[in-house]
Amino acid sequence: MKIVIAGAGIGGLVAALSLHQAGFRDIAVYERAAELRPLGVGINLLPHAVRELTELGLGDAVAELGVAPSRLSYFNRLGQLIWSEPRGLDAGYAWPQLSVHRGEFQLLLAAEVARRLGPEAIRTGHRLVSVEHGEHSERARFERPDGTAHEVEAELVVGADGIHSALRAQEHPDDGGPVWNGLILWRGTATIPTYLDGRTMIMAGDGEQKFVAYPLAGETAETGMTRVNFIAERRAPEGASELADWNVPIDPAPIVERFAEWRFDWLDVPATIAAADEILEYPMVDREPLPHWRAGSSTLLGDAAHAMYPNGSNGSSQAILDARTLAFHLAGAVRGLGSSAGAVETAAAVRAALDAYEADRRPATAALLAMTRQLGPERVMQLAYERAPEGFADIHDVIPEAELREIADAYKRAAGFHPAALTERASLTPASVEP
């Protein structure tokens, strides 16, 4: 069986590795970029995603890339603590939460794909244009940088081609583009004095303005200094139009000014922003949930299927769960075919597997997308702002502890990493099909 994956991002690469682990051997990943480079800034891989990476044999390698946060703490604009909870191993999970550089993680996955599937498994410089659905197979059409076309026939096509997915646009032409909520994000990395315990992920602010920071590594060679990833966020002025570009390098000075008053006893926010190596500007966007992902023997995965706001730090983790679930169902469907199965039987099995994958993942991600639009677990900061905009003496006079805990637990349940449920869930590593 030939499998084509459009997109060599995190979701597409984990899909390739998972399908290979399941016993599929004819897999090709097509990537529009001419080369894979370590672009981007930090991301968080939550315990449910780290479980999947561990079952792929990558847990230790990924852990070496970054740091495992000990806690997640929410503060208001004055730096007053609203809610704090342990994370990963410190919270009793069997798997850590890991903060890593997105580009370095992507290159690790790409190197592992090349090692396991062969050096030709990733074909760069190929932009997906369209997919033609045949009775028994799919025909994917790609465009090269010189404008020439390349077509490939496969029994399965996976559209992991991101928020501007060509396959999504083809199958849902009236869907519209990414939806902007009016917030602008400024992302960067900086080396700053170590704050709190050196392993805490912090979020401060509310729905109008927010600052997030977390370590990407332990203390540097310079004692007392830590390299962190940060996200500064603020609502755009009324009447502003959506940004035209997603990776605009900008001068930090105006951003520093917007956060000039955010100097806490434990963290100097404007100094952190000013220390950035580079700051990239993004609009905060998501996509509307879709009525279906499958068309013929093709399906969507990751941001192509369910791009969502970063509230909850879950986008990459959900793409990993997509990839693992897809491989699990495909292996189960194909395993029962036998070596004499013809094109009709194979196509039917593939489409049944895609429907099972979608039944597992589409409702779950749609619910999570809706929750992120209500700020997800970060809602505690907005509640504190609405109920006590000038601050508080005791947060439990403003938000009862039971309410704080339920907000945190509800998000974990929706996202699939509530501790008990994650531990009890069956493995997504399937028995291998016959190669």
Side-chain angles (χ1 to χ4, degrees):
M1 174 186 295
K2 185 170 183 61
I3 300 172
V4 165
I5 299 171
I10 291 169
L13 294 172
V14 174
L17 291 169
S18 299
L19 290 162
H20 180 268
Q21 183 189 53
F24 298 98
R25 294 295 178 262
D26 195 354
I27 305 167
V29 182
Y30 290 84
E31 165 58 38
R32 67 181 300 167
E35 64 174 319
L36 296 181
R37 295 183 292 139
L39 302 176
V41 286
I43 59 171
N44 273 276
L45 300 171
L46 300 181
H48 54 338
V50 177
R51 173 182 178 177
E52 301 310 322
L53 295 169
T54 301
E55 294 189 9
L56 271 173
L58 297 173
D60 291 343
V62 178
E64 290 177 1
L65 291 180
V67 66
S70 62
R71 300 192 70 82
L72 170 59
S73 298
Y74 299 95
F75 301 83
N76 65 7
R77 293 190 186 200
L78 304 176
Q80 295 177 307
L81 181 64
I82 298 168
W83 170 253
S84 183
E85 62 179 16
R87 302 294 275 189
L89 300 179
D90 292 86
Y93 287 95
W95 305 273
Q97 175 175 326
L98 296 173
S99 300
V100 301
H101 188 282
R102 183 196 180 282
E104 293 175 2
F105 177 47
Q106 182 186 15
L107 290 187
L108 182 152
L109 294 174
E112 197 64 19
V113 168
R115 186 181 74 82
R116 297 187 189 184
L117 280 68
E120 303 302 318
I122 301 175
R123 325 282 174 84
T124 56
H126 286 76
R127 180 179 66 87
L128 181 67
V129 175
S130 62
V131 178
E132 180 183 339
H133 309 300
E135 185 176 358
H136 304 135
S137 64
E138 309 287 276
R139 182 171 293 276
R141 183 175 185 274
F142 296 90
E143 184 178 84
R144 300 186 181 98
D146 62 4
T148 60
H150 174 72
E151 293 188 353
V152 57
E153 190 169 349
E155 280 73 37
L156 168 62
V157 174
V158 179
D161 50 340
I163 194 169
H164 295 292
S165 167
L167 181 58
R168 178 182 177 124
Q170 172 184 304
E171 302 303 331
H172 302 276
D174 299 324
D175 175 49
V179 181
W180 184 41
N181 68 354
L183 291 170
I184 300 175
L185 307 179
W186 297 284
R187 297 176 180 260
T189 59
T191 300
I192 63 170
T194 301
Y195 64 88
L196 300 178
D197 68 349
R199 290 177 52 217
T200 295
M201 179 177 185
I202 69 98
M203 299 188 181
D206 47 68
E208 295 298 304
Q209 187 165 349
K210 182 176 70 179
F211 185 81
V212 178
Y214 51 86
L216 285 177
E219 285 196 353
T220 65
E222 184 180 355
T223 303
M225 303 294 286
T226 300
R227 186 161 186 76
V228 302
N229 180 82
F230 70 81
I231 305 169
E233 172 186 317
R234 188 171 180 178
R235 190 164 300 281
E238 188 172 346
S241 58
E242 183 178 349
L243 303 175
D245 201 335
W246 286 50
N247 293 282
V248 183
I250 65 164
D251 179 4
I255 316 306
V256 171
E257 181 61 29
R258 290 183 176 96
F259 286 83
E261 304 301 318
W262 293 45
R263 289 186 169 90
F264 311 140
D265 292 342
W266 45 273
L267 179 67
D268 188 328
V269 172
T272 300
I273 298 170
D277 305 312
E278 180 182 56
I279 295 181
L280 299 177
E281 187 176 69
Y282 303 77
M284 187 186 282
V285 297
D286 66 4
R287 299 295 300 259
E288 296 291 350
L290 294 172
H292 63 87
W293 294 353
R294 181 180 72 82
S297 294
S298 297
T299 194
L300 300 171
L301 184 150
D303 280 353
H306 50 69
M308 58 186 71
Y309 300 151
N311 302 329
S313 308
N314 218 331
S316 297
S317 295
Q318 292 301 313
I320 290 169
L321 288 178
D322 286 353
R324 299 287 289 162
T325 304
L326 173 61
F328 177 84
H329 285 297
L330 189 66
V334 172
R335 191 181 304 114
L337 285 178
S339 58
S340 62
V344 174
E345 293 85 359
T346 299
V350 168
R351 292 172 186 181
L354 298 186
D355 288 341
Y357 154 68
E358 182 174 330
D360 274 356
R361 297 297 299 150
R362 188 169 59 83
T365 53
L368 195 59
L369 190 155
M371 188 171 282
T372 62
R373 289 182 172 182
Q374 298 300 317
L375 301 180
E378 298 170 24
R379 190 158 62 92
V380 297
M381 296 190 295
Q382 184 62 19
L383 290 177
Y385 178 71
E386 292 171 355
R387 298 177 188 179
E390 303 303 320
F392 46 80
D394 186 336
I395 184 58
H396 297 135
D397 294 335
V398 179
I399 311 174
E401 183 174 1
E403 185 177 1
L404 291 165
R405 188 173 300 280
E406 175 54 27
I407 291 171
D409 286 349
Y411 184 78
K412 293 185 184 77
R413 289 192 296 268
F417 70 105
H418 192 276
L422 179 57
T423 301
E424 295 167 5
R425 174 174 65 74
S427 173
L428 290 175
T429 301
S432 178
V433 298
E434 290 298 322

